[in-house]
């Protein structure tokens, strides 16, 4: 009969730490020693400590002041800490670090407004403790049936797990929760040691004829080990001690598997193995033997690998949460890779890209991080491997794509697969950058300018690449340049006299007069920096690197095909804009002005235009001439509705003693027409110019 013992059988770190805490107190303290509840879920250990004077209490008031009280690995609620302090007891906190992390997590998320959901047994001390850190307001679910009782909700929820539940239950419950809650944040807080123990026991159970699970009757993780193994091996037994072993027919049982819960002490496991070995003196035991006697303590210790800070080792990913990746190294404690030590990629999605069971190579940074875990870095191993890439890139002057991970004095730090590259502020861009934080967590392509292998110092530049790309682009643009060619460009800057546009490594100027067919006071009325525009080359000088661009389009010209829009004889509504001695300028539409000669305003003779019209007045007028080429439209008001000057004006002049002689009128009539007739044949722009000069 072959006996196979699971390497992970027995105390986990949290339980071992709690037991060690009590043992240390027994060796060094004279004050009373209390444990809040049974120190672990194992009657043999509790009885042993009781025999040595350690008292188990279920209420803080049972303890005497100044005594030492040990909080077990399961953890407690905040009010228990307060009672301990108020009682004057000396706290010895042996809460498992995995459990302590859950306490901090639910406290933080509940304060952020999340409703906490705990997947686990509501009567388990660990779950009771966790619930206390979110004001005892958590939903506690232990099955899919519990989830079905929830109504569908938009409530913001955060899901955590009791550290000892099975991965199968965790997945089933979370699948059900997704159907009930739209806004869900989950953290897989199953202890990695628990996962490893369960996976290992399951694999053994698949390949043996009988499976023995050793642990306390009240141990949750022991019961789960039993449930898992029972699915694969019908002859699975749960026992507390060797005295509970069932009868074994070694003729029928060829292989026996043994595993134990996290609260099972090594001497209990050792007794079971010894008893099984006595039944099979010629059998084989898959653990270390000395002179025919089994030394379980050494066997258990020697089953682990030896690691030291600075070692590069390989392990398998056994779990992760939003901030950490857990790795099985074959060591007595699991390895933890903080997310920032897993990758520098700011877009890294841990749920999509980290695969359970995947092998990773990591650097051991710290064998004990203060919580019993091994701190690891994958990023630093990647950096060592990527150094050769950086050396080749430097030698061949090839660019590398990196992520900016930090802004430092004088520049930024970019990471290429873990290799840190310093990019000076002057080399981050080809333009002045006021705030380098705009590049943080962004991709940047750099060329390696300096490399010091001895000091592992790398200096890169994005500017040289940008400038080279711009130069190549500008050459292509100049080579294809011709008058009338249309380019797509980007507005780079605005000035009082126009807008500068990048048309492909070449900056051209759109003069303000070329921005619009109507008058604009500043280019910002038409364009803004960053606009994508289509422009036409009006003229260019390659030697002087100057390009004049046009932006306004012919079809946008209000005078475009004016003869088709306005025809002689049409009556249109116009607005009086301004006066001149020879007539009134009127607006037909924005950008299209016409002239009503003074002789075309009224059937009566006018001394001046103001006698009949006012600025802003809207009147009907008849088109009598359209000259689109010269931008001239002549109109007549009197042919539609002649406007006669008020008679009161002439009468008032007579009363004032002014002379209104026919001869003076005739003189005006003789003097005026020649000039006015000439003005009828000039353009609107000429008239504006003359009016301005006068």
């Amino acid at each position: 009969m072959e006996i196979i013992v699971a390497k992970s059988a027995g105390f986990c770190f949290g339980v071992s730490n709690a037991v060690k805490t009590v043992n240390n107190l027994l060796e060094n303290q004279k004050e009373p020693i209390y444990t809040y509840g049974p120190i672990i879920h194992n009657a043999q250990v509790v009885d042993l400590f009781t025999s040595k004077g350690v008292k188990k209490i279920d209420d803080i008031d049972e303890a005497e002041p100044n005594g030492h009280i040990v909080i077990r690995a399961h953890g407690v609620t905040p009010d228990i800490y307060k009672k301990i302090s108020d009682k004057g007891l000396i706290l010895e906190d042996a809460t498992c670090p995995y459990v302590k992390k859950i306490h901090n997590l639910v406290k933080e998320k509940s304060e952020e407004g999340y409703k906490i959901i705990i997947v686990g047994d509501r009567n388990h001390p660990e779950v009771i403790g966790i619930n206390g850190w979110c004001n005892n307001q958590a939903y506690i679910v232990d099955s899919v049936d519990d989830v079905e009782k929830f109504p569908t909700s938009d409530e913001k929820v955060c899901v955590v797990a009791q550290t000892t539940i099975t991965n199968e239950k965790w997945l089933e419950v979370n699948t059900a929760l997704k159907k009930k809650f739209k806004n869900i944040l989950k953290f897989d807080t199953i202890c990695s040691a628990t996962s490893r123990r369960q996976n290992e026991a399951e694999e053994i159970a698949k390949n043996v004829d009988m499976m023995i699970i050793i642990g306390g009757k009240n141990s949750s993780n022991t019961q789960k080990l039993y449930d898992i193994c029972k699915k694969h091996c019908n002859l699975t037994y749960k026992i507390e001690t060797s005295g509970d072993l069932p009868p074994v027919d070694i003729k029928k049982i060829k292989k026996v598997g043994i595993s134990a819960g996290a609260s099972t002490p090594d001497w209990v496991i050792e007794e079971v193995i010894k008893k099984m070995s006595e039944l099979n003196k010629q059998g084989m035991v898959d653990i270390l033997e000395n002179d025919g006697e089994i030394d379980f303590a050494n066997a258990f210790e020697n089953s682990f690998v030896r690691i030291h800070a600075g070692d590069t080792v390989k392990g398998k990913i056994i779990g992760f949460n939003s901030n950490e990746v857990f790795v099985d190294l074959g060591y007595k404690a699991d390895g933890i890779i903080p997310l920032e030590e897993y990758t520098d990629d700011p877009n890294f999605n841990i749920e999509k890209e980290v695969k359970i069971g995947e092998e990773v190579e990591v650097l051991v940074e710290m064998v004990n991080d203060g919580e019993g875990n091994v701190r690891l870095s994958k990023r630093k191993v990647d950096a060592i491997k990527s150094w050769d890439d950086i050396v080749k890139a430097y030698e061949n002057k090839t660019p590398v794509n990196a992520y900016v991970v930090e802004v430092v004095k004088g520049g930024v730090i970019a990471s290429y697969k873990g290799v840190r590259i310093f990019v000076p502020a002057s080399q981050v861009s080809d333009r002045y950058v006021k705030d380098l934080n705009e590049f943080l967590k962004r991709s940047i392509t750099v060329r390696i300018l300096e490399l010091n292998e001895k000091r592992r110092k790398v200096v890169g530049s994005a500017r040289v690449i940008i400038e080279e790309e711009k130069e190549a682009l500008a050459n292509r643009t100049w080579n294809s340049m011709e008058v009338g060619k249309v380019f797509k460009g980007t507005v780079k800057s605005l000035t009082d006299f126009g807008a500068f546009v990048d048309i492909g490594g070449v900056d051209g100027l759109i003069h303000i007069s070329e921005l619009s067919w109507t008058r604009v006071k500043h280019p910002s009325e038409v364009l803004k920096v960053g606009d994508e525009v289509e422009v036409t080359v009006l003229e260019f000088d390659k030697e002087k690197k100057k390009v004049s661009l046009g932006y306004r389009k012919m079809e946008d010209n209000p005078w475009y095909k004016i003869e088709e829009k306005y025809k002689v004889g049409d009556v249109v509504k116009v607005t009086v804009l301004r006066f001149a001695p020879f007539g009134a300028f009127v607006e037909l539409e924005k950008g299209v002005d016409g002239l009503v000669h003074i002789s075309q305003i009224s059937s009566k003779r006018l001394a001046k235009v103001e006698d009949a019209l006012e600025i802003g007045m809207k009147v009907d007028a008849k088109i009598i001439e359209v000259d689109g080429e010269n931008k001239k439209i002549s109109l007549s008001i009197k042919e539609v509705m002649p406007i006669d000057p008020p008679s009161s004006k002439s009468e008032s002049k007579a009363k004032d003693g002014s002379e209104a002689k026919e001869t003076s009128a005739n003189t005006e009539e003789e003097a005026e027409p020649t000039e006015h007739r000439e003005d009828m044949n000039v353009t609107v722009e000429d008239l504006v110019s003359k009016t301005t000069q006068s």
Side-chain angles (χ1 to χ4, degrees):
M1 182 173 63
E2 180 182 356
I3 301 173
I4 303 172
V5 181
K7 290 183 179 180
S8 58
F11 284 176
C12 66
F13 170 79
V15 170
S16 177
N17 181 57
V19 172
K20 189 186 297 181
T21 300
V22 177
N23 279 325
N24 289 341
L25 289 173
L26 287 169
E27 290 178 7
N28 303 310
Q29 303 298 331
K30 295 181 180 179
E31 296 85 357
I33 301 171
Y34 304 94
T35 65
Y36 186 70
I39 188 64
I40 61 174
H41 280 159
N42 184 272
Q44 291 74 39
V45 173
V46 173
D47 291 345
L48 176 64
F49 283 147
T50 301
S51 68
K52 293 182 178 182
V54 178
K55 185 176 181 181
K56 175 185 77 68
I57 62 173
D58 296 312
D59 190 322
I60 301 301
D61 290 336
E62 296 177 40
E64 296 295 328
N66 300 318
H68 290 260
I69 185 162
V70 182
I71 299 298
R72 58 188 171 181
H74 296 131
V76 294
T77 59
D79 62 301
I80 298 299
Y81 285 106
K82 186 176 186 305
K83 287 181 179 179
I84 291 171
S85 176
D86 293 345
K87 187 74 175 180
L89 295 168
I90 301 170
L91 174 65
E92 305 289 347
D93 195 348
T95 302
C96 172
Y98 278 105
V99 176
K100 182 66 74 175
K101 285 181 181 179
I102 305 175
H103 290 175
N104 295 332
L105 178 63
V106 299
K107 182 177 185 294
E108 175 190 339
K109 292 304 175 185
S110 62
E111 289 174 353
E112 291 177 6
Y114 284 87
K115 183 70 176 181
I116 305 301
I117 297 178
I118 305 171
V119 183
D121 179 0
R122 67 177 59 254
N123 298 315
H124 193 280
E126 179 190 317
V127 174
I128 294 170
I130 294 170
N131 194 18
W133 289 89
C134 53
N135 299 316
N136 296 307
Q137 297 295 312
Y139 297 140
I140 301 172
V141 297
D142 197 31
S143 67
V144 172
D145 290 340
D146 290 341
V147 177
E148 293 301 325
K149 297 175 185 176
F150 291 134
T152 302
S153 172
D154 292 331
E155 187 175 18
K156 192 167 66 169
V157 299
C158 172
V159 188
V160 298
Q162 179 182 333
T163 58
T164 56
I165 68 167
T166 64
N167 190 57
E168 181 182 13
K169 176 181 287 189
W170 170 252
L171 295 175
E172 287 176 351
V173 170
N174 273 283
T175 300
L177 285 171
K178 284 183 179 178
K179 298 175 183 177
K180 295 291 185 179
F181 297 94
K182 295 179 181 178
N183 192 352
I184 188 167
L185 179 66
K186 66 176 182 178
F187 293 89
D188 183 352
T189 53
I190 299 174
C191 171
S192 57
T194 298
S195 296
R196 183 171 68 247
R197 182 181 289 105
Q198 291 173 353
N199 293 337
E200 190 177 6
E202 184 175 26
E203 289 303 311
I204 294 173
K206 291 177 181 178
N207 297 288
V208 296
D209 302 308
M210 184 172 75
M211 191 75 191
I212 297 171
I213 306 298
I214 312 167
K217 291 179 180 178
N218 297 323
S219 170
S220 172
N221 70 86
T222 300
Q223 181 62 42
K224 289 179 177 66
L225 281 176
Y226 172 81
D227 293 339
I228 290 170
C229 293
K230 185 69 175 175
K231 292 179 182 179
H232 303 285
C233 180
N234 288 330
L235 293 178
T236 297
Y237 299 93
K238 185 176 75 167
I239 65 173
E240 272 199 330
T241 66
S242 61
D244 300 325
L245 278 169
V248 178
D249 185 347
I250 61 173
K251 294 180 180 179
K252 293 182 179 180
I253 305 299
K254 303 299 181 183
K255 285 186 179 181
V256 175
I258 297 177
S259 186
S263 301
T264 308
D266 54 5
W267 74 81
V268 174
I269 303 173
E270 182 180 352
E271 286 176 359
V272 173
I273 296 172
K274 283 183 177 180
K275 189 164 184 178
M276 293 299 297
S277 298
E278 287 171 3
L279 296 173
N280 185 38
K281 293 182 180 179
Q282 287 147 359
M284 181 180 71
V285 180
D286 250 6
I287 58 175
L288 185 65
E289 295 187 18
N290 292 325
D291 299 327
E293 294 184 1
I294 300 171
D295 185 348
F296 181 79
N298 286 337
F300 191 64
E301 186 68 23
N302 290 333
S303 68
F304 298 119
V305 298
R306 296 289 184 269
I307 60 173
H308 305 88
D311 288 351
T312 298
V313 296
K314 290 182 179 180
K316 284 188 178 180
I317 295 174
I318 56 175
F320 60 87
N321 58 33
S322 60
N323 301 309
E324 299 165 320
V325 176
F326 306 110
V327 180
D328 177 11
L329 302 169
Y331 184 64
K332 66 179 72 175
D334 294 327
I336 293 180
I337 312 174
L339 185 57
E340 64 271 17
E341 288 299 326
Y342 194 91
T343 178
D344 275 332
D345 185 352
N347 301 314
F348 184 77
N349 187 317
I350 193 166
E351 289 196 359
K352 291 183 179 179
E353 301 186 50
V354 173
K355 308 296 181 187
I356 303 295
E358 183 179 25
E359 186 177 73
V360 289
E361 192 170 5
V362 291
L363 177 73
V364 179
E365 293 199 302
M366 197 180 299
V367 175
N368 188 331
D369 64 357
E371 294 185 345
N373 300 305
V374 182
R375 184 181 172 90
L376 308 170
S377 173
K378 176 178 176 293
R379 181 178 63 83
K380 289 184 173 67
V381 173
D382 291 342
I384 295 169
K385 293 179 178 179
S386 301
W387 183 258
D388 290 341
D389 294 341
I390 291 293
V391 173
K392 289 178 182 177
Y394 174 66
E395 293 172 347
N396 300 328
K397 296 185 177 180
T398 53
V400 296
N401 194 50
Y403 285 103
V404 177
V405 295
E406 187 180 356
V407 175
V408 296
K409 185 177 180 180
V412 300
I413 300 296
S415 174
Y416 170 76
K417 296 181 181 178
V419 178
R420 292 166 69 86
I421 304 169
F422 174 65
V423 184
S426 62
Q427 299 300 315
V428 170
S429 175
D430 63 334
R431 59 180 174 82
Y432 170 70
V433 180
K434 186 176 182 180
D435 185 4
L436 292 173
N437 282 295
E438 70 176 81
F439 287 89
L440 192 61
K441 304 300 179 186
R442 283 178 49 190
S443 177
I444 185 172
T445 303
V446 297
R447 176 168 296 148
I448 309 303
L449 300 182
E450 296 179 31
L451 187 145
N452 187 322
E453 292 198 51
K454 192 172 184 180
R455 297 175 59 192
R456 309 291 276 190
K457 179 182 177 184
V458 185
V459 179
S461 170
R463 178 176 181 170
V464 294
I465 294 176
I466 296 170
E467 289 178 344
E468 287 175 1
E469 289 175 347
K470 276 193 169 183
E471 184 179 356
L473 181 60
N475 287 335
R476 290 196 297 270
T477 301
W478 281 115
N479 291 336
S480 65
M481 187 85 69
E482 59 184 42
V483 173
K485 183 167 182 176
V486 176
F487 284 94
K488 288 184 178 180
T490 305
V491 178
K492 305 297 286 186
S493 63
L494 302 176
T495 67
D496 290 339
F497 54 83
F500 285 97
V501 178
D502 179 359
I503 57 173
V506 175
D507 287 350
L509 173 67
I510 307 173
H511 191 269
I512 191 169
S513 62
E514 289 294 332
L515 284 171
S516 175
W517 291 103
T518 58
R519 187 182 301 276
V520 294
K521 294 181 180 179
H522 192 271
S524 58
E525 295 176 30
V526 181
L527 298 174
K528 62 180 181 293
V529 173
D531 280 352
E532 300 293 326
V533 294
E534 222 176 55
V535 292
T536 305
V537 177
L538 302 179
E539 57 180 341
F540 66 93
D541 187 328
K542 189 174 181 179
E543 291 184 2
K544 294 182 179 180
K545 305 294 183 185
K546 289 186 177 181
V547 183
S548 295
L549 303 170
Y551 176 67
R552 60 185 187 179
K553 296 177 176 60
M554 182 56 68
E555 56 267 29
D556 295 333
N557 183 355
W559 287 89
Y560 182 64
K561 295 185 178 180
I562 199 72
E563 291 94 342
E564 295 179 11
K565 191 171 185 181
Y566 296 105
K567 295 180 173 57
V568 173
D570 287 351
V571 175
V572 294
K573 180 76 73 176
V574 298
T575 303
V576 178
L577 293 179
R578 59 189 181 280
F579 299 140
F582 46 81
F585 290 102
V586 296
E587 182 183 66
L588 287 80
E589 62 178 81
K590 189 171 182 180
V592 178
D593 294 350
L595 174 67
V596 181
H597 192 270
I598 192 170
S599 63
Q600 294 296 324
I601 297 174
S602 175
S603 56
K604 295 183 180 180
R605 187 179 303 279
L606 297 176
K608 51 185 178 179
V609 179
E610 294 94 314
D611 289 343
L613 300 175
E614 295 179 0
I615 301 296
M617 180 184 288
K618 295 185 182 298
V619 296
D620 290 332
K622 183 178 182 180
I623 297 173
I624 57 177
E625 182 183 356
V626 179
D627 184 352
E629 185 177 347
N630 295 308
K631 296 182 182 177
K632 268 183 52 179
I633 297 179
S634 298
L635 304 100
S636 172
I637 296 175
K638 73 178 184 179
E639 289 192 25
V640 180
M641 47 174 293
I643 300 177
D644 294 335
S647 57
S648 59
K649 290 187 179 182
S650 301
E651 291 171 0
S652 64
K653 288 180 182 180
K655 289 178 182 179
D656 289 340
S658 59
E659 297 181 359
K661 297 181 180 179
E662 184 68 25
T663 53
S664 63
N666 290 339
T667 303
E668 288 178 6
E669 185 178 1
E670 292 171 358
E672 183 183 342
T674 302
E675 182 184 355
H676 287 184
R677 280 193 295 273
E678 291 174 355
D679 289 332
M680 288 286 285
N681 294 319
V682 298
T683 65
V684 172
E685 285 82 353
D686 293 335
L687 295 174
V688 173
S689 176
K690 287 183 180 182
T691 304
T692 304
Q693 291 173 4
S694 63

